[in-house]
Each structure stands twice: as C-alpha cells, then as structure tokens.
Amino acid sequence: MPPFRIFGNLYFVGTHPASSHLIDTGDGLILLDSGYPQTLYLVLENIRTLGFSPCDLKYIIHSHGHYDHLGATRALVELTGAKTFIGRQDAAYANGKLDLTWARELGHEYYEQFEPDVLLEDGDRISRGNTEVLCLHTPGHTPGTMSYFFPVSDGIHIYRAGMHGGVGTNSMSKEFLDRYGLSYDCRKQFLDGLDRLKQEKVDIFIGNHVWNNDTRGKYERMREQSYNSFINENDWLEFLKKSSDQLFAMIEKEETECENISNSGNRR
Ligand SMILES: [Zn+2]
C-alpha cells in the first residue's frame, strides 16, 4: 500500500501485512509499530516519500510483542537510535526471554531481539513535541497489549485518534493457550478491555492491521471524494463490538467442536 497522510500530522507508512503509523510531533517523529523485518525497507522508503527523514525517528511505540509489529525494531534502533516503548508484560517477548513473538507461526525461525527502553503501564502518557499519547493497558491478545489515544491536528482542526493494540483471537484460542500452557483468563481480560475502551472518544480510528479499519477502502474513498473517510466517530464503537463478537464466535465454534468429538466418542 502507498504511504499517505491520514489527517494533519498523522500518516500511514505501510504495509499491507502489518500497519505502521507515523506521527510528526514537530520535534521528531514517532512510529507506531515497526512491522516485519522483511518490510523495513518499504517503511523507510514510505517515510522518505512523505518528505520526512528516517533519521528524525525518535520514538518507536509498540502495540504488542508479536513479530509482525516489532520485527523491524532492532534494525531501526541501530539505524536511528530511536527510543523504544512497549507494554511491561510484553518486554519478555521483545528481548527473547519468552519465545512467544509468533514468529514461527508467521513462518519465520529467526527473530532479532531488543531490550525495550520504556516499559509502559496503564495510564502512562508519552510526550514528544506537540503530541501526548495516552497508553491504556488492554491485555488479551498478549499480556502487555497497549491501546493508544492521541490528538492529531492540521493546524486548524484537532481530532482524537485511537488504536486498539491487538484484537486477533489467534492467541486466545484453546489450541494456542493449551499448547503453551497459558491461562484462559486472557479472554475475560480482553472483553473487559473492549468494554473499557467504549468510554474513549475516537474521531479517527487507526488499526495495526489494514483489515481492522478498512485502511485501503478509506484511502481510496478519500482520494475519490472530497471528504476525509477516516474521520468518523462511529467506526470505533463498531469495531469494539465486532471484536467481542469475533471472540464469542471462536469460543462457540470451539464448544461445538468439543461436543462433536464427545458425541462421536459416545457413539463408538
Ligand atoms: Zn499479534
């Protein structure tokens, strides 16, 4: 996907498999998620295409500790010296103490670890230049998944952007939790987090995957029409609802499969 300005000082900088967003703070750049190591060259080129220099990257803030969101971080830190942020509970994913980055599941054996500079807690605020990012702890997809909220401005209007840090049900499935001996509590934590985020007013909903917020569709509508399709205060609540529905659908499917297995056992 091409890079583009979403609104004011907020930009999409790729890529289709995992989204990275750039915030121009007026005092350096913030990158939300670094993406796959294999797409780093695209993200760097996208930053340049938008007229910025990757050298001005000051902070890399991660939504959670999976390979598709932090895989390029070590190389980026070596290139730019940027400071890295991640939810406290996902630090062990980043530095390799826990082998749960999902790299293998995504088809990659090797992961370049890094030691995060700042471990985020619920309610932390990250300030840089004109930007203050509110960090809310929304565990479930991973134990340290963080969701982010921050104002964006074009100098005239100010809108509030928001991103949920991770809604994939893959890491909350029975199969995955059993395989790694993880607790099923993550499901309740995830639903509680979705409920809590309903309180947040979000005018511009961004996703850490393009399919979360229909990035491509919105980009194309924005190009064809005169309005900004990213500014829509209903999208956020619809997404939270859809995310809880997805988890319930997965649980229902698992329960049906369990019943089918025990029924076929009875017949034998
Ligand atoms: Zn993930």
Side-chain angles (χ1 to χ4, degrees), residues 63-69 101-102 106 141-142 145 165-168 170-171 208-209:
S63 58
H64 64 272
H66 283 160
Y67 182 76
D68 47 342
H69 303 288
T101 61
W102 207 266
L106 290 164
H141 181 69
T142 65
T145 296
V167 297
N170 51 350
S171 49
N208 60 357
H209 287 291

Side-chain angles (χ1 to χ4, degrees), residues 78-149:
E78 285 170 1
L79 285 169
T80 66
K83 197 168 166 178
T84 55
F85 300 72
I86 197 165
R88 176 173 292 282
Q89 296 81 353
D90 280 10
Y93 291 37
N95 63 26
K97 292 206 172 98
L98 264 182
D99 184 16
L100 284 172
T101 61
W102 207 266
R104 221 168 299 118
E105 285 83 350
L106 290 164
H108 306 279
E109 283 301 321
Y110 181 68
Y111 165 64
E112 289 187 336
Q113 299 151 359
F114 66 96
E115 199 61 61
D117 296 307
V118 181
L119 305 185
L120 297 168
E121 308 273 4
D122 185 54
D124 279 354
R125 290 170 192 272
I126 303 169
S127 285
R128 178 97 205 177
N130 57 25
T131 301
E132 188 182 72
V133 180
L134 169 65
C135 314
L136 295 182
H137 183 215
T138 49
H141 181 69
T142 65
T145 296
M146 299 296 288
S147 296
Y148 300 114
F149 303 89

